[in-house]
Amino acid sequence: MPINRRKMFAFAGAAVAAPALLREGYAQAAEVNLKLHHFLPAASNIHQKFLTPLVRKIEAESNGRIKITIFPAMQLGGAPPQLYDQARDGVADIVWTLPGNTPGRFPASEAMELPFVADKLGIVNARAFQEYADTYLKDEFKEVHLICAWAHDAGLIHANRQVKTMEDLKGLKLRFPTRQAGEALKALGASPIGMPIPQVPESLAQKVIDGCVVPWEVVPAIKVQELLKYHTGIPGSPTLYTATFVLAMNKGSYDKVPADLKKVLDANSGMPAATMAGKTWDDAGAAVLEMVSKRSGNVIGEISVDEAGRWRKTTQPVIDAWIASVKDRNLDGAKLVEAVRTLVQKYKVS
C-alpha cells in the first residue's frame, strides 16, 4: 500500500471511531505514539485483561514517553485476516492476530495447532509456543517485529446438540478457528466451516452453523452461552486443539523507537508477555466456566476418557498428512511436532 494511501486510511479510521482506551495525562508529551489494532470488541477478555494491562505497563515503565492507543473491533478498517499485513505495511503499528486466519501462510506455526498436541492449560501452551517461536519461527515472521507469541488453553465444542461420541459429530456444522482444527473436525465426522470469529454470533443466530470450537475465554465476547446450550470438553491432556496468536509490530515503527525505550518494549515482550497472556486465558476461562455453569439451560460436560482415545486415534492421520505436506516447504514436520510436544511437557512439569 503506498504511504500516502496508508496515512489516509489510518487517519480515516481514527476519525470515524473513538479509541477504546483513554488515558490520564503524563507529565510530558509522549515521544512515541503507537496504534494497536485487533478484531474483538473492547468488552472482550483479551482487550480488558491482557492488551490493556500490557499497554498500561509499557506506558508506565516509559514514564509516559510511549503512548499506545488500542483500536478494537477492526476500527482502523479491514477484515481480521488482513491484520498481519496491516502490521507489515504500517497501517497499524502493532496488531494482535491469529496466524491461522490465513491458512497455510505460516506452516511451521501449525505444529502447535495439530490435534492432541497442546496442553489443557493456557500458560503451558503460551510458554511452549513462545520458546518454539524463538527457535523455529524467526524466518516465518521475518516481515514484522514479533513482540510475543502464545497459544490458548483447551478448546471446547459448543453446539446446539449434545456431543458424547464421534457419531454425535456427524454432519454438525462447526465453525473452526484454524486449518488444522478444521481437518481434525472433518476426520471426526463434523462439517467444519471457516469464518472469522466476529461473524460467529450472527451465523449461530441465523442457523448457518450448528456450533463452534472456541476456548471458554472467548465465549462471552461472541455470546456463545446465549446462543448454544451444549458445551463439551476433552478430559485431561493433551486437548483436541489450540489456536496460536501473535502480537506483531511494524518493523519501521520498532526501528524508530529510541534505544532506551526499546528496552522498555523488549522487557515486556517474549516470555514475560506470553506468560501474562497464558495466565489471562486460564483465569478468564475459569471465570467464564463458572458463569456459564450458573446460567440456566446450559449443559457442560466432557466426552469419556475412552472416547477421547478414539478421537485421538482417528485424528492421527491429520498429523501424518501435515508432516507429509510441509516437506514441500522444506520443513521437517516430525521434528517440529516433537519439538512442540517436548516444550509442552517442559512447561507442564516446571
Side-chain angles (χ1 to χ4, degrees), residues 115-116 166 183-184 186-189 307-319:
F116 295 100
M166 200 184 308
E183 291 297 324
K186 183 178 179 180
L188 292 168
E307 185 66 16
R310 279 185 75 204
W311 289 29
R312 186 170 182 173
K313 183 177 180 180
T314 301
T315 57
Q316 178 60 42
V318 174
I319 298 176

Side-chain angles (χ1 to χ4, degrees), residues 247-263:
L247 200 58
M249 187 171 183
N250 175 263
K251 278 193 165 186
S253 298
Y254 179 78
D255 290 343
K256 291 176 184 176
V257 176
D260 59 331
L261 293 182
K262 276 193 177 78
K263 293 180 180 179

Side-chain angles (χ1 to χ4, degrees), residues 204-225:
L204 287 172
Q206 296 186 359
K207 303 189 184 308
V208 174
I209 55 176
D210 301 312
C212 59
V213 287
V214 295
W216 282 120
E217 178 275 335
V218 80
V219 161
I222 55 174
K223 301 181 180 181
V224 169
Q225 79 282 9

Side-chain angles (χ1 to χ4, degrees), residues 18-210:
L21 186 60
L22 300 178
R23 293 169 202 76
E24 300 152 354
Y26 289 93
Q28 57 186 8
E31 296 175 33
V32 176
N33 289 276
L34 302 171
K35 301 186 298 292
L36 193 163
H37 200 200
H38 72 88
F39 59 90
L40 283 181
S44 62
N45 282 309
I46 177 69
H47 181 97
Q48 293 190 351
K49 298 178 181 179
F50 174 60
L51 295 175
T52 297
L54 181 64
V55 161
R56 287 178 175 165
K57 187 171 184 287
I58 291 170
E59 290 178 336
E61 291 177 7
S62 74
N63 293 318
R65 294 170 62 201
I66 297 175
K67 178 182 178 182
I68 303 174
T69 304
I70 307 179
F71 294 86
M74 302 305 298
Q75 286 183 348
L76 294 181
Q82 297 171 324
L83 280 166
Y84 180 83
D85 288 338
Q86 288 186 359
R88 182 195 64 189
D89 299 337
V91 173
D93 300 294
I94 304 170
V95 302
W96 169 58
T97 190
L98 290 79
N101 270 344
T102 49
R105 184 174 180 180
F106 303 99
S109 297
E110 292 181 332
M112 185 82 197
E113 299 175 340
L114 291 164
F116 295 100
V117 168
D119 194 72
K120 65 180 178 180
L121 292 177
I123 197 163
V124 173
N125 294 332
R127 288 170 169 167
F129 191 60
Q130 177 62 53
E131 183 170 335
Y132 177 82
D134 288 340
T135 306
Y136 296 101
L137 301 182
K138 290 180 180 178
D139 186 63
E140 196 149 281
F141 294 106
K142 64 185 178 182
E143 295 177 311
V144 297
H145 172 75
L146 195 62
I147 294 177
C148 68
W150 71 96
H152 65 60
D153 55 337
L156 293 90
I157 297 170
H158 310 268
N160 58 12
R161 70 176 186 234
Q162 196 162 25
V163 174
K164 291 186 176 181
T165 68
M166 200 184 308
E167 289 70 27
D168 295 330
L169 286 170
K170 188 173 181 180
L172 205 60
K173 294 180 289 185
L174 297 175
R175 178 266 175 185
F176 65 90
T178 68
R179 184 169 68 134
Q180 298 310 317
E183 291 297 324
L185 290 170
K186 183 178 179 180
L188 292 168
S191 297
I193 296 178
M195 67 176 63
I197 198 73
Q199 296 177 16
V200 169
E202 183 177 359
S203 297
L204 287 172
Q206 296 186 359
K207 303 189 184 308
V208 174
I209 55 176
D210 301 312

Side-chain angles (χ1 to χ4, degrees), residues 229-243:
K229 179 178 180 179
Y230 298 101
H231 314 273
T232 305
I234 312 298
S237 282
T239 189
L240 175 61
Y241 92 99
T242 189

